[in-house]
Amino acid sequence: MKYLLLLTPLVLAACGTTNFFEPPNVSLETDKQAFHMSRQQVILGITECEEAGTRPVVITAKRRINGVMSDVPVEVTCNPRYKIFH
């Protein structure tokens, strides 16, 4: 029993050291250019989401077109449908 009381703090102290774990080297990489989607690609993406029973979400980016900032579609993703109100 005495040995157990002596070894318990040592085992806990050994588990608490951070020398064995090094965090991974992770960096966020983004594209310099975002290519816009055509109207037909957006419509196709929306219909695919609706046919799968999910909610389509269009992600847009800001672009300067003829000196005016406007939103252009970049991606269509499918999110789950939530029925909050019945």
Side-chain angles (χ1 to χ4, degrees), residues 37-52 56 76 78:
M37 297 174 69
S38 67
R39 183 174 186 271
Q40 188 61 35
Q41 289 173 330
V42 174
I43 292 171
L44 182 65
I46 290 173
T47 55
E48 285 179 0
C49 290
E50 290 174 348
E51 287 174 358
V76 177
C78 301

Side-chain angles (χ1 to χ4, degrees), residues 37-81:
M37 297 174 69
S38 67
R39 183 174 186 271
Q40 188 61 35
Q41 289 173 330
V42 174
I43 292 171
L44 182 65
I46 290 173
T47 55
E48 285 179 0
C49 290
E50 290 174 348
E51 287 174 358
T54 57
R55 180 175 52 98
V57 177
V58 179
I59 298 174
T60 60
K62 297 275 187 187
R63 282 249 173 113
R64 185 175 302 276
I65 300 172
N66 294 332
V68 178
M69 292 297 286
S70 63
D71 294 331
V72 293
V74 176
E75 184 179 350
V76 177
T77 61
C78 301
N79 288 349
R81 273 191 206 276

